[in-house]
């Protein structure tokens, strides 16, 4: 259902429903919450000092192209729904809905991941939490999801103020991770892993980029997904200039934070323990004392809870606008007295809770090794949605090329760079996204189950097609089919309903 021309109904009415409350600072806080999972600074430690090389390559080939493309699309069409809106402009209603679904679905399951991380850092401080059974942890995650939803449906300005305060605490925690590395060295200790030999920053010091280790590049790409998500709330931004400003300052914050935290962990934590997700807190305990490590763990637990809130209200806007455009039931577009899309928030919460129950309660209950089963189910689901999210980013890079050409008047009025810049950014960024897909399908997350059926070699990388490949690829494909089916079902409802 559209209005005059190719404008979506949601483009006209969303701005009258949702208040303009977001400032540049708010947008930077949301950007960091969406993109910066500081635990990735621990996971990438397995690469050794080459982690810095992979970060820099990923910043150049993925984060910066994403920011360039998102900035231009957001400047031209700063409406609600970001990739849903832009793909509708470029390719029409079906692909707009489909791209929106591909961008939305990962957000639901990421909320399960942030709940898990919240528990992990609480367990670092309170061993009793870490000692809970798998089923009890699942129940705690469900409680976290519900509490996050309650906060997400409050008056948006109030919720965002809470997000901003915890965002500042997050910055303090990351600063302490870096300071812990400095303190560790000042005490006369040797670095746990020497990051000062810059030759070892290269993915392969002798032969250039080592494609056999490109899973680390895939990890870095996955750690940078979500650049466009803050513009899911495009009509709620007070000033147009906040679009480009949040991309600039947010990208800088993310790059500095990942490099600083990676260095702090690498210097302080023994190599055999550095890849554990809680090592970002352990590093602070080693460098600054046990009390400081526990303080950072509490700050990170608070931040990952708040990230759950941010994911919920940010991704809820995608199905909210689909409801306005009658591509989903109209009830999805309901807003409460605080002018927040509450039905969309609760739909996501219920879905995330259901997946939590399956992964942490049902499957472990039926398994001989509950903890192992829970881990495998969780990893497979997260990998599958990662594949989908990367594919949606490929669509984003195609969108800008179509839109810049089709909407010449709007482009010239809000032109940020030459069309050639967007071509270069799109080609590089799309290829980086596809590498993220391939590295995820390669089974690098769980190497023990990757080689059951065989493998093939692609550019020097061994891609296993055992259980992991078929589970992750199958769930991703099934999810894409569900997205297409939802649109077709919604199309039938629109034909029967009012025009």
């Amino acid at each position: 259902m559209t209005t005059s021309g190719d404008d979506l109904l949601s483009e006209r009415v969303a701005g009258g429903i949702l208040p303009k409350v977001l400032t540049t600072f708010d947008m930077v806080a949301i950007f960091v919450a969406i993109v910066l999972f500081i635990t990735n600074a621990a996971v990438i430690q397995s690469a050794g000092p080459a982690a810095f090389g992979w970060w820099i390559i990923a910043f150049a080939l993925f984060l910066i192209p994403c920011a360039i493309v998102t900035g231009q699309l957001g400047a031209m069409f700063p409406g609600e729904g970001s990739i849903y809106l832009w793909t509708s402009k470029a390719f029409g209603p079906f692909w707009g809905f489909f791209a929106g679904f591909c961008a939305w679905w990962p957000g639901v399951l990421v909320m399960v991941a942030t709940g898990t991380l919240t528990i992990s850092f609480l367990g670092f401080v309170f061993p009793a939490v870490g000692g809970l059974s798998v089923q009890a942890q699942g129940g705690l995650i469900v409680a976290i999801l519900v509490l996050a939803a309650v906060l997400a449906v409050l008056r948006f300005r109030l919720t965002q103020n809470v997000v901003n305060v915890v965002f500042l605490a997050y910055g303090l925690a990351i600063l302490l991770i870096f300071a812990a590395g400095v303190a560790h060295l000042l005490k006369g200790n040797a670095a746990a892993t020497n990051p000062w030999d810059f030759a070892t920053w290269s993915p392969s010091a002798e032969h250039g980029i080592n494609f056999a280790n490109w899973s680390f590049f895939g990890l870095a790409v996955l750690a940078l997904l979500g650049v466009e998500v803050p513009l899911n709330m495009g009509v709620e931004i007070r000033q147009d200039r906040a679009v480009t400003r949040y991309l600039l300052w947010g990208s800088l914050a993310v790059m500095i934070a990942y490099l600083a935290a990676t260095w702090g962990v690498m210097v302080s934590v023994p190599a055999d323990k550095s890849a554990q997700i809680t090592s970002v807190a352990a590093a602070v305990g080693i460098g600054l004392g046990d009390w400081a490590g526990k303080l950072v763990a509490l700050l990170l637990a608070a931040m990952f809870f708040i990230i759950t809130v941010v994911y919920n209200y940010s991704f809820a806007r995608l199905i909210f606008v689909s409801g306005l455009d009658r591509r989903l039931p109209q009830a999805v577009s309901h807003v409460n007295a605080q002018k927040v899309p509450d039905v969309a928030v609760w739909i996501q919460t219920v879905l995330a809770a259901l997946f939590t129950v399956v992964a942490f309660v049902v499957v472990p209950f039926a398994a001989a090794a509950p903890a192992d089963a829970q881990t495998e189910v969780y990893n497979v689901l997260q990998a599958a949605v990662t594949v989908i999210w990367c594919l949606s980013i490929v669509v984003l890079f195609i969108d800008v090329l179509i839109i810049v050409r089709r909407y010449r008047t709007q482009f010239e009025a809000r032109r940020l760079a030459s069309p050639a810049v967007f071509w270069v950014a799109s080609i590089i960024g799309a290829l980086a996204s596809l590498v993220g897909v391939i590295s995820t399908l390669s089974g690098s997350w769980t190497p023990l189950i990757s080689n059951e059926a065989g493998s093939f070699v692609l550019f020097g990388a061994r891609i296993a097609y055992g259980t992991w490949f078929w589970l992750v690829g199958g769930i991703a494909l099934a999810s894409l089919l569900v997205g297409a089916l939802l649109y077709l079902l919604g199309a039938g409802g629109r034909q029967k309903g009012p025009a």
Side-chain angles (χ1 to χ4, degrees), residues 179-193 195-196 263 267-268 287:
V182 175
H184 181 72
L185 295 178
L186 290 177
K187 292 176 183 178
N189 300 306
T193 300
W196 303 114
W263 184 87
V267 166
S268 305

Side-chain angles (χ1 to χ4, degrees), residues 207-233:
H207 306 294
I209 295 178
N210 181 4
F211 285 103
N213 292 326
W214 70 350
S215 62
F216 291 116
F217 176 64
L219 171 63
V221 167
L222 305 183
L224 299 171
L225 287 168
V227 172
E228 81 291 352
V229 172
L231 287 176
N232 288 350
M233 297 163 288

